[in-house]
Amino acid sequence: MRISMVSEHASPLATLGGVDAGGQNVHVAALSTALARRGHEVTVYTRRDDATLDERVPLAPGVEVVHVEAGPATHVPKDELLPYMGELANGILEHWRRSRSTPHIVHSHFWMSGLAALDAARRFEAATGRTIPVVHTFHALGIVKRRHQGADDTSPAEREWLEPRVGREADGIIATCSDEAFELKALGVASARISVVPCGVDLDHFTPDGPAEERGLRRRIMTVGRLVPRKGVDLAIRALAELAAEGHADVELVVVGGASGPDAERDPERERLRALAAELGVDDRVLLRGQVSQADMPAVLRSADAVVCTPWYEPFGIVPLEAMACGVPVVAAAVGGLIDSVVDGVTGVHVPPRDPGAIAAVLRELLWDEERVRALGHAGRERMVSRYSWDRVAADTGRAYRAVLDRSRREAALRTAEGALL
C-alpha cells in the first residue's frame, strides 16, 4: 500500500523538546517506519521550516520525507500556520502529479494537516476522477484545549468550526484513546468511522535492562516533557515540597524538557518553576535538566523510582509509555489517554488532575516500598510488550486503512449503480 502521511508542523526529522516538537513527531516517524517494515511505501509531507532542507529526505527504508513550500522557510508557531494550508495542499497535489504512482490512502495528523489533506484529495479527484480516501488523527482537540486553557488558548478562532469539519468529512478517524473517541462523537463524528489505535513505544530502545544515570539523592522522581504550564511540572514541585516538609530529605525531582544551553535561561516557564522551587524551599532538590537526547533517555528514565505525569489534560502521552517500557511506574493524572495507558494499581497509580496533595500521598506510599515499585514496573513493561509495540500499532493502523478503503470502494460502487439508474 502507498501511504501519504501529512504532518504540517511536526516533522519526523525534528529535534524533540521544542515548543512545537514532541509526541506527534515521534508518532509520525515511528508509525511510518513500522508501516514500511510491514511492506508499505510511505511518504511524509511536512512544511519546509528551514531554507537549507532538501526537498526529499530519506527517513528509513521505505519512508521518505518531502518538505513542502508553505509559508516562510523558517519556524512559525503552529497556531499561526492556518493561512498556509492552501499552499501545503498545493505542494502535496503537485508532488502526487509528478509521482509515477499516487497514494492509495492519505493519513493526516493534527487538524490543519487534515484541512490540507482533504483539499488535496478533493482537487485530485476533481482533476482525475480517482478517489484517495483520507484518514485523520487529531493528536489534540481544540474543544478540550479550550476547556482547560480558556483565554490562554492560542489556537486560531477558525479551529472551533474547521476542526469538527475535518472529523466529519474525513473517510476515517483514528483516535489514540477512548476518551478522544468520546469527544469526537460529541462533535458529530459517526461512530462507525472511528477506530481507536494507541500510540506506540520503541521496545528495543526503551528497556528495563541497561545503564542507569547516577542519582544525586537516594530517591528520585522525574517529569519529562515540554516546559509549558499545562504539563503540570509545578504540581510535582509542590508534591516534593510536601514530602520535604514531612522530613523526607532524600528525594530529588529531575525535570527533563524545555530549552537547553543559552536559551534555557530565557525560558519563562523554566524561570517560573525555578522561582516556585525556591519559594517552597526545595530548589536544592529540583534539577532542571533541559533537553535530553532520545539516545540517552532510557538511562535517565531507569534512574527514577517513579515518573510523575500529571498534565491538566493529555490527548495521549508518550512519556508514560517510555517509562513503563523501562520498567518504571508512573504516577499519572486521570485524564485523556493516560486513563487507557496507565492501569491504576497495576502499572502505576492514577491521581486526580491538578492535585499536588494527591501526588504527594501516592509518592509517600510508593517511594519507600521497593517491592511495589518493582511489581508496578514489571507489569508496566509487560503491558507495553503486549499492546504498545510499534509493530502492533502499525498492524492495527493497517487494518483501519483497509476498512476505510473497503468502505470507500463500496460507496463508490453504490454511487455508480445509482448513477446508472438515473
Side-chain angles (χ1 to χ4, degrees):
M1 191 184 305
R2 292 186 299 275
I3 304 161
S4 286
M5 294 280 182
V6 183
S7 182
E8 94 291 351
H9 75 274
S11 169
L13 301 172
T15 301
L16 302 183
V19 174
D20 292 329
Q24 185 177 327
N25 306 71
V26 173
H27 184 101
V28 172
L31 176 60
S32 298
T33 301
L35 286 167
R37 284 199 300 268
R38 299 182 68 81
H40 302 293
E41 180 183 323
V42 184
T43 303
V44 183
Y45 297 93
T46 191
R47 195 186 73 86
R48 179 189 293 280
D49 61 4
D50 184 333
T52 65
L53 293 170
D54 292 336
E55 180 191 10
R56 303 165 73 146
V57 180
L59 176 67
V63 184
E64 182 179 61
V65 177
V66 175
H67 294 110
V68 179
E69 304 290 346
T74 186
H75 172 73
V76 176
K78 69 181 179 185
D79 289 331
E80 299 175 14
L81 288 175
L82 181 58
Y84 308 119
M85 290 305 99
E87 294 176 42
L88 183 64
N90 290 342
I92 294 169
L93 186 59
E94 177 60 27
H95 191 266
W96 288 347
R97 287 169 173 163
R98 286 190 281 119
S99 300
R100 294 183 178 179
S101 53
T102 54
H104 296 106
I105 200 160
V106 183
H107 187 172
S108 51
H109 298 263
F110 199 61
W111 69 280
M112 284 184 283
S113 294
L115 293 172
L118 287 167
D119 185 14
R122 286 187 187 121
R123 288 160 58 191
F124 181 84
E125 182 177 9
T128 67
R130 288 179 286 167
T131 299
I132 306 176
V134 175
V135 173
H136 185 73
T137 297
F138 282 98
H139 293 276
L141 289 171
I143 189 172
V144 178
K145 187 176 181 182
R146 287 192 301 275
R147 187 183 303 152
H148 290 277
Q149 293 192 345
D152 292 331
D153 179 11
T154 58
S155 301
E158 296 92 335
R159 183 175 186 176
E160 186 173 355
W161 62 86
L162 290 176
E163 185 172 69
R165 195 184 88 186
V166 170
R168 291 191 291 265
E169 295 183 3
D171 298 280
I173 300 294
I174 297 180
T176 55
C177 66
S178 54
D179 183 70
E180 182 186 359
F182 176 81
E183 296 280 358
L184 288 167
K185 292 173 188 175
L187 291 175
V189 180
S191 300
R193 292 179 181 257
I194 302 174
S195 302
V196 178
V197 181
C199 299
V201 63
D202 185 342
L203 295 172
D204 294 325
H205 184 57
F206 291 95
T207 68
D209 304 315
E213 182 180 80
E214 186 176 347
R215 302 182 185 185
L217 295 176
R218 183 179 178 186
R219 293 174 174 85
R220 171 179 281 191
I221 58 177
M222 185 176 295
T223 69
V224 182
R226 286 173 287 160
L227 291 191
V228 291
R230 75 169 183 86
K231 291 294 185 179
V233 177
D234 56 335
L235 302 174
I237 294 175
R238 292 184 185 279
L240 176 67
E242 287 196 32
L243 296 177
E246 297 167 2
H248 299 298
D250 59 345
V251 184
E252 64 184 3
L253 168 64
V254 177
V255 178
V256 177
S260 296
D263 292 338
E265 299 307 314
R266 297 191 293 271
D267 185 336
E269 179 65 4
R270 180 188 179 98
E271 289 308 299
R272 184 180 78 89
L273 296 173
R274 178 179 289 162
L276 177 64
E279 175 190 336
L280 298 175
V282 292
D283 50 319
D284 59 331
R285 287 172 240 176
V286 176
L287 176 60
L288 297 166
R289 283 284 302 273
Q291 293 180 21
V292 171
S293 71
Q294 282 291 95
D296 294 335
M297 271 306 303
V300 173
L301 286 168
R302 291 186 201 111
S303 72
D305 293 296
V307 169
V308 177
C309 186
T310 53
W312 305 349
Y313 66 96
E314 186 60 74
F316 185 79
I318 287 180
V319 168
L321 304 189
E322 295 174 346
M324 288 186 284
C326 288
V328 180
V330 179
V331 179
V335 297
L338 305 183
I339 299 172
D340 287 0
S341 60
V342 180
V343 182
D344 187 35
V346 178
T347 69
V349 182
H350 288 169
V351 294
R354 306 180 78 164
D355 189 341
I359 300 169
V362 169
L363 293 173
R364 192 180 299 117
E365 294 180 3
L366 193 61
L367 294 179
W368 287 270
D369 189 343
E370 295 180 4
E371 184 176 344
R372 189 178 181 209
V373 167
R374 283 194 296 270
L376 292 172
H378 180 72
R381 175 66 186 185
E382 287 191 332
R383 179 163 172 76
M384 294 304 100
V385 171
S386 67
R387 181 66 188 91
Y388 290 88
S389 73
W390 277 113
D391 284 339
R392 167 72 184 270
V393 170
D396 290 348
T397 301
R399 278 190 285 273
Y401 290 167
R402 286 190 289 275
V404 168
L405 285 167
D406 289 345
R407 185 168 60 240
S408 178
R409 293 187 189 103
R410 289 195 302 271
E411 291 174 353
L414 182 60
R415 287 194 298 270
T416 300
E418 290 174 344
L421 294 174
L422 294 177

